[in-house]
Amino acid sequence: MKDETRKFQKFIQKSNLLWSIEREIITNQVFDNHFHFTADDLFIQLNEKGRKISRATVYRTLELLEKSSMVSKIQLASGKHFYEHIFGHKHHDHLICQKCGRMIEFHCEDIEQWQEKISTENNFKMAGHCLKIYGICADCMKKKSKNKPK
Amino acid sequence: MKDETRKFQKFIQKSNLLWSIEREIITNQVFDNHFHFTADDLFIQLNEKGRKISRATVYRTLELLEKSSMVSKIQLASGKHFYEHIFGHKHHDHLICQKCGRMIEFHCEDIEQWQEKISTENNFKMAGHCLKIYGICADCMKKKSKNKPK
DNA sequence: ATTAAGATTGAGACCAAATCTCAATCAGAA
DNA sequence: TTCTGATTGAGATTTGGTCTCAATCTTAAT
Ligand SMILES: [Zn+2]
Ligand SMILES: [Zn+2]
Ligand SMILES: [Zn+2]
Ligand SMILES: [Zn+2]
């Protein structure tokens, strides 16, 4: 079992929930995806591996993974939800190419600090944030090709 | 006709599209909403005024208003879409209360600057951005009541 | 090893938001 | 006035996700 999966198992047990083979399989798959993926990506990957796990269980497990803070959900302007695992990765935000859909990760401590400051000024108890910068990536600027976005 | 509506009419005509009474009614209603609203809010408001305009037309017109850069769409983590008119308002971002759904607007020039800087560093041609800070607002912190989110 | 209590699962029903279809209508140019 | 193409409404469809509930599984207590 992957380290990450074991950590999630501990979370499940601490939360007085039960560990199951489905949760193990899904979690392993989540941590095999080293970039952004959708719930359906995951469902299809599992299917291709011959794992018959229902869509409902995939969604339920992703929700738990989110609660455990090991995975985070990203909403794109297109309305699609992507996930990414964050355990072992430090917090980052995204540059998103409107041409090809490419996502570039970045982290800016100053921006993080300013957000805290603004929240405090507004007597707002910040729990999280979502920053996405939209535009055209370097490749697409060069190519000017019309790759369809994801 | 409102100034804003006239401006949108010009956009429609410049785009080689046709102006229609439905577009006029919807646009007027959009600019009567001085805060955030959903497509359905708009549809209901129009209905209450006795204006029989189909949902499809409301969505289609909001899409055009977005293209004209007079209106922007805000996507919440909950999956709901809100709109707000931006023509005549300066750019701002949002603090969003996870309890009551309240949105507080803010503007932070430093954050704006850092975003430009990051984009440049990544050879990314920034076109726009979306920053949402999630948490609990001052009122909800006090009340601790369980208002349902919008 | 049995049993009981409660959690988890899968299949498919369900849901809300948004988009699509297409015939009827409308706007604007000629 | 006529013509062409754009727009509209009603409802079907799609999408992305949640809910239901009987069957199954996990765990802990006998
Ligand atoms: Zn950040
Ligand atoms: Zn790109
Ligand atoms: Zn609140
Ligand atoms: Zn706003």
Side-chain angles (χ1 to χ4, degrees):
Chain A
M1 202 194 294
K2 286 175 188 288
D3 279 3
E4 296 91 338
T5 307
R6 187 163 290 116
K7 186 179 154 82
F8 181 53
Q9 185 185 25
K10 273 184 199 139
F11 168 85
I12 288 293
Q13 287 163 349
K14 254 192 298 186
S15 310
N16 274 87
L17 299 172
L18 305 181
W19 189 241
S20 71
I21 187 65
E22 289 84 1
R23 287 180 177 167
E24 180 168 334
I25 292 171
I26 292 168
T27 310
N28 279 334
Q29 190 65 38
V30 162
F31 287 95
D32 269 348
N33 277 277
H34 289 292
F35 209 46
H36 313 93
F37 57 91
T38 64
D40 219 57
D41 287 343
L42 215 53
F43 176 73
I44 291 167
Q45 289 168 8
L46 293 168
N47 246 323
E48 281 170 355
K49 283 192 177 175
R51 262 66 204 261
K52 277 176 248 96
I53 293 179
S54 81
R55 232 172 267 272
T57 302
V58 171
Y59 277 101
R60 285 188 285 232
T61 306
L62 282 170
E63 209 183 326
L64 288 168
L65 278 161
E66 229 194 316
K67 279 201 188 120
S68 79
S69 303
M70 295 181 68
V71 160
S72 76
K73 195 197 269 189
I74 312 162
Q75 247 200 342
L76 298 198
S78 69
K80 289 196 180 176
H81 291 180
F82 277 75
Y83 293 85
E84 64 183 356
H85 57 255
I86 52 183
F87 174 60
H89 294 243
K90 70 176 180 177
H91 166 77
H92 59 263
D93 298 295
H94 297 93
L95 293 160
I96 301 171
C97 177
Q98 291 170 319
K99 272 263 169 60
C100 69
R102 185 176 161 203
M103 296 193 219
I104 302 163
E105 303 184 346
F106 72 87
H107 176 79
C108 174
E109 198 47 40
D110 295 271
I111 289 180
E112 305 287 325
Q113 297 287 316
W114 280 107
Q115 292 183 40
E116 296 283 358
K117 193 157 180 290
I118 285 154
S119 297
T120 307
E121 275 168 11
N122 285 275
N123 299 310
F124 190 86
K125 187 171 177 190
M126 176 169 163
H129 68 266
C130 169
L131 170 58
K132 289 167 293 192
I133 300 180
Y134 291 99
I136 311 293
C137 75
D139 282 1
C140 287
M141 284 289 284
K142 258 182 244 149
K143 282 190 282 173
K144 271 200 175 180
S145 69
K146 282 189 186 167
N147 309 330
K148 48 201 141 150
K150 246 187 170 177
Chain B
M1 202 194 294
K2 285 175 189 287
D3 279 2
E4 295 92 337
T5 308
R6 185 161 293 114
K7 188 179 153 79
F8 182 51
Q9 185 184 25
K10 274 185 197 136
F11 169 83
I12 289 292
Q13 286 163 350
K14 254 193 298 187
S15 310
N16 274 86
L17 299 172
L18 305 182
W19 189 242
S20 72
I21 185 65
E22 289 83 2
R23 287 180 179 167
E24 181 170 333
I25 292 171
I26 294 168
T27 310
N28 279 334
Q29 191 64 38
V30 163
F31 286 95
D32 270 347
N33 277 277
H34 289 291
F35 209 47
H36 312 93
F37 57 90
T38 64
D40 219 54
D41 286 344
L42 215 53
F43 175 73
I44 291 166
Q45 289 168 8
L46 292 168
N47 247 324
E48 281 171 355
K49 283 195 178 174
R51 263 65 205 263
K52 278 177 247 92
I53 292 179
S54 80
R55 234 172 265 273
T57 302
V58 170
Y59 278 102
R60 284 188 287 231
T61 305
L62 281 170
E63 208 183 327
L64 288 168
L65 278 161
E66 227 193 319
K67 277 199 189 124
S68 78
S69 301
M70 296 181 68
V71 160
S72 77
K73 194 198 270 189
I74 310 163
Q75 284 198 318
L76 300 198
S78 69
K80 288 199 181 177
H81 294 182
F82 279 75
Y83 292 86
E84 64 184 356
H85 57 255
I86 51 183
F87 175 59
H89 293 243
K90 69 175 186 181
H91 166 76
H92 59 262
D93 296 296
H94 298 94
L95 294 159
I96 299 168
C97 177
Q98 292 170 318
K99 271 261 168 66
C100 69
R102 186 176 161 202
M103 296 194 217
I104 300 163
E105 304 188 340
F106 71 87
H107 177 80
C108 174
E109 197 48 41
D110 295 270
I111 289 181
E112 304 288 324
Q113 297 286 317
W114 280 107
Q115 290 184 38
E116 296 283 358
K117 192 156 179 291
I118 284 154
S119 297
T120 307
E121 275 168 9
N122 285 275
N123 298 311
F124 190 84
K125 187 173 177 189
M126 174 171 166
H129 69 267
C130 167
L131 170 58
K132 287 165 294 191
I133 300 180
Y134 289 100
I136 311 292
C137 73
D139 281 1
C140 288
M141 283 290 282
K142 260 182 245 153
K143 282 190 285 173
K144 269 199 173 179
S145 69
K146 279 189 185 165
N147 309 332
K148 43 201 141 138
K150 251 186 165 178

